[in-house]
Amino acid sequence: MAIWQYLLIVVPEDSIDTTYECIFKNNKTKFLPETDSFWENFDGDILSIISELDQILPKANWGNDIFLNWKGNANNDEDNDACICLSDDKTKIKDFQFRIDLRKSSNITHILQSILNLCEKNKLVLIDLKGEIFQPNLEDIFKSIKASNATKFLSDPIQFFEDLSKNDSDETRT
């Protein structure tokens, strides 16, 4: 993950319950928790979600038929990407996350907004690296974006690195 990328995890809105507390709030590892349990009862149109992502971001040249990836043009400050991991039989989503390149405002106004529209249409919510849950609208997410390491780095890279050793933030997870 590039320092200028802001990551959001996508899960079905109706899956947020005590499972969330167990999986996210109690995660003591440096890694993101598994989210497949959130998708167990999702009955949305997976092919439609994939097709809509195809319209937002170009497919990446890696992955396979159950590990789907999309990647923007990093050379043009459009280092946006998305990943959906499907079950072996391709009937369930196991994981869905995306990262937005904060170096260019059009990444927020076009790419992020398009993904948020997809989430809203499919009744999906977003979780940031600190475990905060957001409805799929920019107003809710802006506070998290402003507090993210990506924004801190882009605002003042030298200060960011000076503060890095003191940072106990959950966002240091990989």
Side-chain angles (χ1 to χ4, degrees), residues 93-109:
I93 292 176
K94 293 173 63 177
D95 185 52
F96 178 4
Q97 56 184 267
F98 65 92
R99 299 180 295 193
I100 299 297
D101 184 339
L102 297 182
R103 294 177 294 173
K104 196 173 189 181
S105 62
S106 63
N107 293 326
I108 295 171
T109 58

Side-chain angles (χ1 to χ4, degrees), residues 16-33:
I16 300 295
D17 58 10
T18 56
T19 304
Y20 167 78
E21 289 292 327
C22 180
I23 291 175
F24 278 88
K25 294 293 184 182
N26 298 326
N27 182 28
K28 304 296 182 204
T29 71
K30 291 184 176 186
F31 303 99
L32 294 173

Side-chain angles (χ1 to χ4, degrees), residues 61-77:
N61 61 358
W62 64 84
N64 55 42
D65 56 347
I66 62 169
F67 190 67
L68 308 168
N69 298 278
W70 294 263
K71 183 71 172 172
N73 184 348
N75 294 326
N76 195 26
D77 290 347

Side-chain angles (χ1 to χ4, degrees), residues 44 59 173:
K59 272 273 174 60
R173 292 183 183 148

Side-chain angles (χ1 to χ4, degrees), residues 90-150:
K90 303 177 199 154
T91 61
K92 295 283 183 188
I93 292 176
K94 293 173 63 177
D95 185 52
F96 178 4
Q97 56 184 267
F98 65 92
R99 299 180 295 193
I100 299 297
D101 184 339
L102 297 182
R103 294 177 294 173
K104 196 173 189 181
S105 62
S106 63
N107 293 326
I108 295 171
T109 58
H110 298 299
I111 305 300
L112 177 57
Q113 186 60 62
S114 295
I115 295 173
L116 295 178
N117 293 343
L118 176 150
C119 291
E120 184 176 15
K121 185 164 89 176
N122 291 282
K123 297 184 172 120
L124 306 172
V125 295
L126 306 136
I127 304 172
D128 71 7
L129 289 175
K130 295 177 183 170
E132 297 297 320
I133 302 168
F134 301 96
Q135 291 297 318
N137 65 64
L138 284 176
E139 294 78 28
D140 286 352
I141 295 170
F142 272 142
K143 183 178 177 184
S144 174
I145 290 173
K146 288 178 184 177
S148 72
N149 281 343

